[in-house]
């Protein structure tokens, strides 16, 4: 191969630059570059041919070729940048979505309000070291009533209208039979909560034959009624806000002595009195008291040494307060529009 | 129980407004449900005397009366009531008087006759419901007196709800005692002793108690020469103030005394009794009694009855008999006051569905010391109001004494330990003495308290602790927190499984629902569940609310299908619901049923399609449900296996599968059988899935451990295989995985196609196989060898035919 003259080189460079400038797309530009600087490109081959050139001419040729190569690479880089910028601009111009179309998101699932409240409640008590106990919903008369100090043929039994099942057992009317099951097994001191479904033979605008309770028990040597109040205050404020107040009214439950019912400040009117609370400023929430010594004795616990408190309240009721539900029946109505919103 | 404050005020001074009284009673355990004001101020009304009555000249139904109002000349009044008559004492409203409803009475002309006021009825006065005629007052009412002085006015009634332990509060006396405990004051108990005649009651009647265990005492008084008639106004009003209808002067007195003292009494017409002996005995087999409510009742031998020589005359403690009741013409009255055992009365009341004022009080226990007092008080009032002479002496018999606690030991330390208070000894004694619970030194030292006879609910020291607490005030007990070591919290293993499952369903886009957990009678038939199926062992409710919902759920499916139907009727056709609940299986006899925790879900395919998906591109509902099962079990770290079988009779036979975990069946997934869908009136395609969480929990918690991931590059190959249409893809996938060995780290089925280009009877499945080693890069030849092995296997085992050469994907 003969070495090229300066003039030939200039011509070569001019053609290459023309081709680069003429390329209107990145593939064409790459093609144009490889014609010159590729493995078999004109400049590449010329560089490769330097060895065969006239030794006197080699230095000049080498210098001119390298300068030309650098200039072409620079033009190439400029052109490439221009093309890429153009392509991005075009892409930005052309990718136009109707962003008001709905997203392709999945349907969102939902936990039942009773589940939500139950978890919140249980989390509060497990955080205070209460374990979780569980028991059957179909119970014996003994566990549901007798062991809890409801004597047979006693009007206390009228407090809880009962569903009986064939064979003489019953649907538990409260979660308290689990107290009996747990306390027969546990050695004091202990504390636990129980949650679950309970049943009352009662169907009306304000009552459902099935509803949910949470119940807690703590037994130790000196656990007092004051402690019970303290726990319930903390609990109510966790659930309904720091401003709610409680009031404890003397009451009667066969399985606690002393017994109390407790009301929580009506969250709707903050205690001022409204339709939700029948103008009283309070909403009835649950029952509590000190575990009756006879109940402890029925569970083989030394009632002279140990004492403790028990409390129970409706989870459904808490859900109604939280979500402002007009009726308990809303909770058990499987309408997707209801289930999705609360 | 309803209580008039006017009445109460006669027994104890009430110096506080009704609201404050109600609040204090409520906080102290006597819950006041409502405060009702009845009767307006009647001081503007006067007692009038109807001097003459004549017919209105221009109207048949009107009368023109001349009424003496005690002021000036008698006035002319036009009256529309048919019962108005000359000689009556009436309630008169003169010109300008305002009725409780706001109407002002004006002098006016009625059909041409001037009327100077109005003669009022109960309704117009706002004191009763009787609008049939004017209110006729007692003849003794002084003409011109303010009506409020004669019949009272402006009463307030408290509606009380008593807890079952406080039978002693079911009386004016009982509430007066509570008021005294809270506010102090002196009780003013009415006179009870009757003036007795010469004739002795024991000459008329003898008492015999044949059931001494259940009749602790039976006392009787006899009054001769009574005239039965209407009660005087004050008594009628008093009974009306607590919601009772006046009957006659004798019966009304027994009701009055029941409310005064809480001791039920009964009056018999002595002349109707056969023989001179009144017996308290058990009812005889087949014996009948026509009770006062005119029900002919067949008695049970467990019923305690009052009987004469021949027959039962009253259901003891519950209701008297009709044949011996006091009526117009009765002249001799036998008054019963007794103490019956609570449980026996309660059983009778329940057996006969008769909850009476008497049974209510006996069930809760009456004051054992109050029996004679009530008999005396009734006799005294009967003689006062109905005339007659009270025979000398109380005839009585006693049975076994009731079980009583007369004294309870209690020290202050215990009170304060239980309540968390620091109340001094002296204050405890003072608090209890306000309840008539008097302190005394116990025999062996220490403190003891005497329990009054009316408080038979007090039996143990804790009962007294409560009395101290409630009178002291629960609101004054300091709020503290228990001090206890914080140990590990235990929970039943099933709880974790259930809660994780709820979360997984929620993450999969399902809505949790809760429903009443009762099966309807034809639910299992509608599902096609056969007689041998364990779900047929339902737990039956003996006293259901609705006859058709008399069994506990043994399957959650019918409830969910009804939920779909309910949504469908509200034009919501696409729903994804789950229900996590217990299911019950009877074990027979008195054995408690088996309870398992189950979760079921239903997914319906609605008409609606999102804008980015095509209606016909959507997979069958089965796969949506299966996807949920896979997801839920993955979240529970349990690998799901699906066995193609007709898993449930209510599944479509061509779209049904059992779900297994480690070989054990834990559930099912399938599309709803069209017949079952029709039986539940469902119009949308549904898929169901069910999991037995008790079974899953029984398998123990899976241990989640880290497995090292490969840092080497992976190689992938795509294979499209023509297979027989019936070949289960799952089998093919499993065989590929097995053949590929440990270096085949993943096999994805990315296409499943039938149609153009695929011969009929065939389908095309496309798999992506991913190969990788942990220790080094796999070379191409190794991967090709493994792929060849898979291809050969597909050929001879499934008659599979490669549609193209394995494509290399990097």
């Amino acid at each position: 191969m003969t070495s090229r003259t300066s003039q030939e080189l200039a011509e070569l460079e001019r053609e290459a630059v023309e081709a680069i400038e003429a390329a209107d797309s990145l593939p064409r530009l790459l093609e144009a570059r490889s014609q010159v600087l590729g493995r078999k490109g004109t400049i590449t081959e010329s560089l490769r041919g330097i060895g065969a050139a006239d030794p006197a001419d080699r230095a000049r040729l080498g210098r001119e070729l390298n300068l030309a190569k650098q200039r072409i690479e620079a033009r190439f880089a400029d052109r490439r940048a221009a093309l890429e910028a153009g392509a991005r601009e075009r892409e930005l111009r052309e990718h136009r979505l109707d962003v008001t179309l709905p997203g392709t998101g999945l349907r969102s699932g939902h936990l039942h309000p009773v589940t939500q409240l139950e978890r919140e409640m249980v989390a509060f008590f497990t955080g205070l070291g209460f374990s979780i106990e569980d028991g059957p919903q179909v119970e014996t008369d003994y566990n549901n009533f007798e062991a809890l100090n409801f004597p047979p043929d006693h009007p206390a039994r009228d407090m809880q209208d009962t569903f009986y099942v064939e064979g003489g057992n019953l649907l538990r009317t409260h979660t308290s039979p689990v107290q009996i099951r747990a306390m027969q097994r546990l050695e004091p001191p202990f504390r636990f909560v129980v949650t679950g479904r309970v049943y009352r033979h009662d169907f009306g605008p304000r009552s459902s034959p099935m509803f949910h309770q949470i119940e807690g028990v703590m037994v130790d040597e000196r656990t007092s009624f004051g402690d019970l109040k303290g726990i319930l205050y903390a609990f109510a404020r966790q659930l309904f806000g720091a401003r709610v107040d409680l009031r404890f009214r003397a009451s009667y439950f066969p399985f606690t002595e002393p017994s109390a019912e407790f009301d929580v400040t009506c969250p709707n009117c903050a205690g001022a009195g409204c339709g939700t609370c029948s103008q009283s400023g309070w909403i009835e929430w649950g029952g509590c008291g000190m575990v009756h010594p006879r109940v402890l004795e029925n569970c083989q616990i030394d009632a002279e040494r140990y004492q403790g408190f028990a409390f129970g309240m409706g989870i459904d009721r808490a859900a109604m307060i939280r979500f402002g539900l007009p009726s308990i029946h809303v909770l058990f109505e499987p309408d997707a529009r209801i289930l999705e919103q609360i | 129980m309803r209580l008039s404050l006017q009445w109460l005020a006669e027994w104890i001074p009430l110096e506080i407004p009704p609201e404050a009284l109600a609040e204090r009673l409520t906080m102290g355990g006597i819950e006041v449900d409502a405060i009702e004001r009845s009767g307006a101020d009647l001081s503007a009304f006067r007692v009038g005397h109807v001097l003459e009555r004549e017919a209105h000249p221009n109207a048949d139904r009107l009368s023109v009366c001349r009424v003496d109002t005690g002021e000036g000349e008698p006035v002319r009044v036009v009256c529309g009531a048919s019962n108005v008559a000359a000689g009556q004492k009436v309630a008169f409203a003169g010109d300008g008087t305002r009725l409780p409803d706001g109407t002002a009475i004006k002098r006016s002309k009625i059909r041409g006759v001037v009327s100077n006021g109005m003669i009022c009825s109960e309704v117009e006065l706002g004191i009763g419901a009787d609008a049939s005629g004017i209110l006729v007052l007692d003849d003794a009412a002084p003409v011109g007196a303010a009506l409020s002085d004669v019949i009272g006015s402006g009463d307030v009634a408290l509606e009380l709800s008593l807890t079952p332990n406080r039978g002693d509060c079911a009386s004016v006396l009982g509430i007066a005692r509570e008021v005294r405990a809270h506010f102090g004051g002196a009780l003013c108990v009415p006179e009870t002793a009757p003036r007795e005649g010469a004739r002795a009651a024991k000459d008329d009647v003898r008492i015999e108690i044949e059931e001494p265990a259940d009749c602790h005492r039976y006392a009787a008084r006899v009054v001769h020469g009574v005239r039965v008639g209407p009660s005087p106004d004050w008594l009628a009003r008093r009974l009306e103030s607590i919601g009772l209808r006046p009957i006659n002067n004798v019966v009304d007195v027994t009701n009055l005394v029941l409310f005064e003292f809480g001791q039920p009494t009964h009056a018999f017409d002595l002349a109707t009794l056969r023989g001179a002996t009144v017996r308290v005995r058990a009812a005889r087999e087949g014996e009948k009694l026509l009770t006062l409510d005119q029900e002919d009742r067949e008695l049970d031998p467990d019923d305690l009855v009052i009987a004469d020589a021949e027959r039962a005359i009253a259901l003891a403690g519950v209701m008297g008999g009709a044949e011996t009741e006091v009526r117009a013409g009765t002249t001799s009255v036998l008054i019963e006051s007794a103490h019956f055992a609570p449980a026996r009365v309660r059983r009778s009341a329940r057996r006969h569905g008769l909850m009476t004022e008497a049974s209510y009080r006996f069930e809760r226990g009456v004051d054992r010391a109050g029996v004679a007092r009530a008999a005396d008080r009734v006799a005294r009032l009967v003689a006062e109001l109905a005339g007659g002479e009270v025979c000398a002496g109380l005839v009585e018999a006693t049975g076994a004494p009731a079980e009583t606690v007369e004294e309870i030991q209690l020290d202050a330390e215990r009170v304060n330990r239980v309540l968390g208070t620091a109340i001094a000894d002296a204050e405890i004694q003072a608090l209890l003495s306000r309840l008539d619970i008097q302190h005394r030194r116990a025999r062996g030292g220490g403190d003891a308290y005497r329990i009054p006879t009316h408080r038979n609910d007090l039996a143990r020291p804790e009962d007294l602790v409560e009395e101290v607490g409630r009178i002291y005030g629960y609101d004054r007990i300091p709020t503290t927190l228990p001090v206890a070591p914080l140990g590990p919290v235990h929970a039943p293993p099933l709880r974790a499984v259930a809660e994780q499952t709820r979360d997984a369903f929620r993450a999969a886009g399902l809505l949790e629902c809760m429903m009443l957990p009762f099966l309807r009678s034809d639910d299992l038939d509608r599902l096609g569940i056969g007689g041998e199926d364990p779900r047929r062992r339902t737990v039956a409710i003996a006293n259901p609310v609705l006859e058709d919902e008399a069994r506990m759920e043994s399957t959650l499916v019918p409830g969910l299908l009804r939920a779909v139907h309910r949504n469908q009727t509200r034009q919501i056709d696409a729903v994804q619901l789950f229900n996590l609940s217990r299911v019950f299986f009877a074990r027979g006899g008195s054995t408690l049923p088996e309870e398992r925790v189950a979760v079921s879900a239903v997914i319906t395919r609605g008409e609606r399609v999102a804008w980015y998906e095509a209606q016909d591109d959507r997979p069958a509902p089965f796969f949506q449900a299966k996807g949920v099962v896979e997801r839920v079990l993955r979240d529970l770290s349990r690998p799901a296996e699906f066995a193609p079988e007709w898993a449930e009779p209510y599944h479509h036979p061509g779209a049904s599968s059992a779900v297994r975990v480690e070989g054990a069946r834990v559930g099912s997934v399938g599309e709803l059988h069209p017949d079952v869908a029709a039986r539940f009136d469902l119009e949308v395609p549904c898929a169901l899935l069910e999991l037995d969480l008790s079974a899953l929990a029984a398998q123990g918690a899976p241990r989640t451990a880290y497995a090292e991931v490969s840092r080497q590059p992976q190689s992938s190959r795509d294979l499209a295989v023509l297979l027989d249409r019936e070949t289960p893809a799952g089998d093919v996938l499993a065989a590929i995985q097995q053949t590929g060995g440990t270096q085949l780290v993943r096999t994805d089925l990315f296409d499943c196609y039938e149609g153009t280009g695929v011969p009929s009877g065939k389908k095309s499945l496309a798999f992506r196989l991913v190969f990788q080693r942990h220790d080094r890069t796999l070379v191409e030849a190794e991967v090709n060898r493994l792929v060849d092995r898979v291809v050969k296997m597909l050929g001879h085992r499934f008659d599979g035919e490669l549609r193209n050469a394995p494509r290399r994907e990097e």
Side-chain angles (χ1 to χ4, degrees):
Chain A
M1 176 186 288
T2 56
S3 62
R4 300 194 185 246
T5 64
S6 299
Q7 202 181 349
E8 282 172 340
L9 275 175
E11 180 63 16
L12 214 61
E13 185 179 342
R14 192 185 54 74
E15 281 171 9
V17 167
E18 259 172 30
I20 282 169
E21 294 301 327
D24 57 359
S25 69
L26 203 54
R28 292 224 174 104
L29 177 65
L30 291 172
E31 172 62 27
R33 178 182 177 276
S34 84
Q35 298 251 330
V36 188
L37 298 170
R39 267 202 303 164
K40 291 187 177 162
T42 48
I43 300 281
T44 313
E45 295 215 321
S46 300
L47 278 165
R48 214 177 281 136
I50 284 177
D54 179 357
D57 208 21
R58 273 185 206 161
R60 175 199 61 85
L61 194 60
R63 191 171 61 245
E64 286 182 1
L65 271 170
N66 274 320
L67 285 171
K69 184 181 170 185
Q70 280 169 22
R71 282 192 297 274
I72 292 166
E73 285 283 25
R75 294 302 284 262
F76 168 76
D78 288 350
R79 183 69 191 146
R80 179 180 182 137
L83 280 175
E84 280 177 351
R88 173 120 348 112
E89 214 170 283
R90 214 166 29 251
E91 198 275 335
L92 287 172
R93 200 167 52 241
E94 284 167 9
H95 187 64
R96 279 278 176 271
L97 300 182
D98 176 2
V99 295
T100 63
L101 279 171
T104 63
L106 303 163
R107 278 163 177 274
S108 51
H110 209 89
L111 293 179
H112 194 274
V114 168
T115 300
Q116 296 175 42
L117 262 294
E118 193 254 13
R119 286 184 174 189
E120 259 185 74
M121 292 170 153
V122 168
F124 175 85
F125 286 106
T126 52
L128 292 176
F130 284 70
S131 285
I132 303 172
E133 293 289 341
D134 200 5
Q137 293 177 10
V138 181
E139 262 293 5
T140 58
D141 183 90
Y142 179 80
N143 283 337
N144 194 78
F145 287 126
E146 222 171 314
L148 289 162
N149 198 29
F150 287 80
D153 296 319
H154 190 275
R157 293 198 170 207
D158 295 344
M159 296 167 83
Q160 305 186 350
D161 289 332
T162 309
F163 282 111
Y164 290 92
V165 304
E166 284 172 5
N169 295 310
L170 46 80
L171 302 187
R172 68 179 181 194
T173 55
H174 45 188
T175 44
S176 306
V178 185
Q179 276 187 27
I180 300 301
R181 288 174 177 271
M183 291 201 294
Q184 283 173 342
R185 198 186 74 238
L186 298 169
E187 289 288 328
F190 52 73
R191 62 200 125 140
F192 57 82
V193 285
V194 181
T195 67
R197 287 190 170 171
V198 299
Y199 302 84
R200 302 270 172 96
H201 194 280
D202 186 12
F203 190 88
R206 294 163 60 91
S207 54
S208 163
M210 180 277 286
F211 56 99
H212 300 79
Q213 282 186 339
I214 179 167
E215 155 154 357
V217 176
M218 178 166 187
V219 170
D220 205 335
E221 290 183 4
R222 301 199 69 85
T223 309
S224 71
F225 194 90
D227 294 339
L228 166 66
K229 283 179 71 180
I231 292 276
L232 289 177
Y233 265 101
F235 182 48
R237 287 172 178 164
Q238 171 73 37
L239 279 186
F240 301 121
R243 290 200 186 153
V244 301
D245 204 355
L246 288 182
R247 76 172 186 182
F248 292 79
R249 290 180 280 110
S251 189
Y252 167 73
F253 303 104
F255 43 102
T256 50
E257 192 76 40
S259 299
E261 285 186 286
F262 54 97
D263 306 334
V264 61
T265 314
C266 175
N268 191 40
C269 60
C274 67
T276 305
C277 56
S278 313
Q279 306 305 327
S280 71
W282 297 100
I283 292 200
E284 274 190 47
W285 194 24
C288 63
M290 300 300 290
V291 180
H292 198 292
R294 197 168 294 138
V295 175
L296 294 176
E297 287 158 10
N298 286 342
C299 298
Q300 290 78 50
I301 292 170
D302 179 355
E304 285 299 315
R305 179 171 170 200
Y306 292 105
Q307 63 182 41
F309 61 70
F311 58 83
M313 65 281 274
I315 302 176
D316 320 74
R317 189 138 187 85
M320 288 169 66
I321 296 173
R322 168 74 64 82
F323 297 107
L325 305 184
S327 148
I328 188 169
H329 300 296
V330 170
L331 289 169
F332 308 128
E333 191 181 341
D335 183 313
R337 294 166 304 179
I338 296 171
L339 298 170
E340 268 165 354
Q341 59 170 308
I342 51 174
Chain B
M1 187 180 77
R2 219 176 142 81
L3 180 69
S4 145
L5 290 191
Q6 253 175 24
W7 191 350
L8 182 62
E10 291 171 12
W11 290 59
I12 184 88
L14 291 180
E15 279 149 10
I16 36 150
E19 285 72 19
L21 174 67
E23 159 96 12
R24 193 67 179 270
L25 286 175
T26 298
M27 297 304 285
I30 309 296
E31 193 172 349
V32 178
D33 285 338
I35 303 172
E36 284 166 24
R37 292 187 154 74
S38 65
D41 182 3
L42 299 179
S43 54
F45 296 81
R46 303 267 160 241
V47 174
H49 186 202
V50 181
L51 302 175
E52 288 168 14
R53 179 206 155 262
E54 49 192 44
H56 192 290
N58 307 323
D60 290 348
R61 295 206 188 137
L62 298 180
S63 317
V64 180
C65 305
R66 218 155 59 83
V67 180
D68 179 3
T69 66
E71 286 179 347
E73 285 299 297
V75 296
R76 191 159 50 178
V77 179
V78 176
C79 181
S82 56
N83 66 330
V84 68
Q88 287 171 336
K89 297 284 178 64
V90 296
F92 174 73
D95 186 45
T97 309
R98 223 169 245 288
L99 297 183
D101 70 0
T103 317
I105 302 302
K106 287 201 183 92
R107 189 167 174 273
S108 58
K109 237 183 218 180
I110 299 171
R111 293 274 188 120
V113 177
V114 173
S115 179
N116 292 291
M118 182 165 107
I119 302 174
C120 305
S121 70
E122 282 188 1
V123 171
E124 284 151 354
L125 293 168
I127 57 168
D130 188 358
S132 66
I134 55 159
L135 172 67
V136 180
L137 302 173
D138 219 45
D139 282 345
V143 175
L147 190 60
S148 50
D149 293 341
V150 178
I151 62 170
S153 68
D155 198 5
V156 176
L158 300 185
E159 194 60 54
L160 305 173
S161 88
L162 300 178
T163 53
N165 58 326
R166 294 303 303 276
D168 65 298
C169 284
S171 60
V172 180
L173 173 62
I175 299 299
R177 284 195 193 109
E178 279 289 304
V179 171
R180 186 189 49 173
H182 290 300
F183 300 101
L187 279 185
C188 178
V189 179
E191 282 294 319
T192 58
R195 191 188 313 151
E196 297 179 340
R199 188 167 164 183
K202 65 178 174 10
D203 295 342
D204 284 314
V205 71
R206 275 183 342 114
I207 312 292
E208 275 182 20
I209 297 174
E210 291 181 11
E211 295 278 309
D214 289 326
C215 179
H216 307 302
R217 192 167 185 202
Y218 192 103
R221 275 211 174 256
V222 175
V223 186
H224 287 296
V226 302
R227 282 188 312 280
V228 175
S231 289
D233 285 340
W234 69 265
L235 177 52
R237 304 274 153 268
R238 187 126 284 180
L239 293 181
E240 281 167 355
S241 76
I242 52 167
L244 286 187
R245 193 170 50 87
I247 296 166
N248 61 47
N249 48 11
V250 175
V251 173
D252 291 350
V253 163
T254 61
N255 282 333
L256 180 86
V257 172
L258 176 140
F259 278 93
E260 282 183 335
F261 290 99
Q263 169 66 47
T265 58
H266 183 70
F268 296 97
D269 181 343
L270 187 59
T272 61
L273 264 57
R274 299 173 193 163
T277 304
V278 168
R279 268 176 236 285
V280 183
R281 61 161 168 86
R284 307 217 158 96
E285 195 77 57
E287 194 170 15
K288 290 203 166 149
L289 174 65
L290 181 68
T291 44
L292 280 173
D293 56 358
Q294 300 303 321
E295 286 278 325
D296 206 4
R297 296 177 187 276
E298 173 132 6
L299 301 175
D300 186 282
D302 185 49
D303 289 328
L304 194 65
V305 296
I306 313 304
D308 63 13
E310 295 173 12
R311 65 206 158 138
I313 55 171
L315 192 53
V318 182
M319 192 178 268
E323 291 176 17
T324 53
E325 83 176 295
V326 172
R327 68 197 83 196
T330 297
T331 55
S332 292
V333 173
L334 176 77
I335 297 155
E336 160 199 304
S337 178
H339 184 195
F340 300 114
R344 187 94 180 245
V345 172
R346 179 176 164 83
R347 288 199 299 272
S348 279
R350 290 178 72 82
R351 188 177 301 121
H352 297 287
L354 258 181
M355 307 294 177
T356 61
E357 296 289 354
S359 72
Y360 178 91
R361 285 166 181 78
F362 281 120
E363 282 184 30
R364 284 155 180 77
V366 297
D367 182 350
R368 60 183 183 275
V371 172
R373 178 176 59 193
D376 288 352
R377 172 81 172 149
V378 171
R380 177 188 172 104
L381 286 174
V382 165
E384 226 169 74
L385 304 178
E389 190 174 85
V390 180
C391 289
L394 197 69
V395 187
E396 65 176 322
T398 51
E403 262 184 52
T404 53
V405 174
E406 295 185 2
E407 189 175 289
I408 297 174
Q409 295 215 6
L410 176 75
D411 49 40
E413 188 277 333
R414 180 159 196 153
V415 173
N416 289 316
R417 172 159 52 87
V418 171
L419 294 180
T421 47
I423 309 174
D425 286 27
E427 192 179 355
I428 290 170
Q429 291 169 18
L431 287 166
L432 290 174
S433 76
R434 285 154 70 174
L435 294 160
D436 297 319
I437 301 168
Q438 301 304 345
H439 175 261
R440 52 158 57 188
R441 288 262 135 229
R443 232 171 271 151
D447 297 311
Y449 292 88
R450 262 204 89 69
I451 307 305
T453 53
H454 59 273
R455 290 302 302 273
N456 40 41
D457 60 315
L458 303 178
R460 298 182 61 129
E462 285 67 26
D463 298 329
L464 290 186
V465 173
E466 176 171 276
E467 295 305 301
V468 172
R470 74 185 184 90
I471 301 300
Y472 180 76
Y474 283 174
D475 50 342
R476 289 172 64 201
I477 295 174
T479 296
T480 51
L481 282 172
V483 176
L486 204 55
V489 163
H490 303 283
L494 193 50
R495 180 175 174 92
V497 173
E499 295 314 307
Q500 284 167 21
T501 302
R502 285 194 162 102
D503 284 336
F505 272 100
R506 175 178 172 237
L510 280 82
L511 305 176
E512 184 181 16
C513 58
M514 291 187 183
M515 289 163 287
L516 297 185
F518 306 120
L519 280 182
R520 300 209 178 149
S521 42
D522 59 347
D523 274 346
L524 298 177
D525 292 339
R526 290 203 281 176
L527 291 182
I529 288 175
E532 296 302 304
D533 192 294
R535 286 168 291 194
R536 283 280 173 185
R537 290 190 280 118
T538 52
V539 174
I541 300 167
N543 56 335
V545 171
L546 296 172
E547 276 310 317
D548 191 37
E549 299 183 5
R551 283 174 301 159
M552 301 301 288
E553 283 178 317
S554 57
T555 162
L556 306 176
V557 170
L560 280 173
L561 295 182
R562 266 193 288 281
V564 171
H565 182 258
R566 179 185 289 237
N567 281 283
Q568 180 185 288
T569 57
R570 296 174 182 179
Q571 290 93 46
I572 306 162
D573 55 2
V575 290
Q576 311 193 28
L577 304 174
F578 76 97
N579 180 12
L580 192 153
S581 184
R582 294 212 192 167
V583 284
F584 302 83
F585 305 92
R587 282 197 267 230
S590 60
T591 313
L592 288 179
E594 180 184 10
E595 295 186 19
R596 303 185 74 82
V597 176
V599 63
S600 293
V602 63
I603 295 173
T604 70
R605 159 177 285 193
E607 287 289 319
R608 279 180 298 139
V609 180
W611 63 273
Y612 51 85
E613 58 181 15
Q615 172 79 45
D616 46 2
D617 257 12
R618 295 187 302 170
F622 175 88
F623 294 107
Q624 274 178 278
K626 182 176 176 183
V628 172
V629 174
E630 287 169 329
R631 163 154 205 174
V632 168
L633 288 174
R634 193 162 60 235
D635 285 2
L636 289 170
S637 309
R638 265 96 167 172
E641 301 146 29
F642 294 87
E645 59 180 81
W646 193 19
E648 292 291 0
Y650 44 85
H651 282 172
H652 190 300
S656 176
S657 171
V659 179
R660 291 175 203 283
V661 168
E662 287 168 14
R665 175 164 164 166
V666 297
S668 66
V669 55
E671 289 181 11
L672 188 63
H673 196 292
D675 289 347
V676 180
R679 286 181 213 135
F680 283 88
D681 292 326
L682 300 182
E683 288 153 13
V684 286
C686 295
L688 292 164
L689 65 100
E690 296 172 69
L691 291 172
D692 177 347
L693 299 185
S694 295
L696 279 173
Q699 292 183 339
R703 192 175 285 266
T704 308
Y706 171 73
E708 184 64 80
V709 295
S710 170
R711 263 78 177 170
Q712 306 298 330
Q714 63 180 38
S715 306
S716 303
R717 295 288 188 281
D718 289 354
L719 298 179
V721 194
L722 267 184
L723 290 155
D724 196 83
R725 200 171 171 271
E726 301 298 322
T727 309
D731 292 0
V732 180
L733 265 171
I736 291 173
Q737 193 56 56
Q738 195 192 4
T739 310
T742 55
Q743 296 174 95
L744 175 61
V745 293
R746 237 182 112 153
T747 310
D748 291 333
L749 175 62
F750 67 90
D751 190 37
C752 177
Y753 176 72
E754 290 170 46
T756 320
V758 174
S760 78
K762 296 274 181 189
K763 65 181 169 189
S764 163
L765 298 183
F767 302 94
R768 170 162 298 179
L769 281 58
V770 179
F771 299 92
Q772 196 175 35
R773 285 180 66 99
H774 277 261
D775 52 349
R776 60 174 173 81
T777 309
L778 280 165
V779 298
E780 199 167 341
E782 290 175 301
V783 174
N784 291 342
R785 224 174 14 253
L786 286 168
V787 172
D788 281 348
R789 206 185 289 162
V790 168
V791 170
K792 279 204 193 86
M793 180 280 295
L794 290 172
H796 74 249
R797 215 156 124 196
F798 297 100
D799 206 13
E801 185 189 325
L802 222 51
R803 294 182 73 195
N804 51 14
R807 214 143 50 87
R808 193 180 134 164
E809 293 288 330
E810 297 301 342

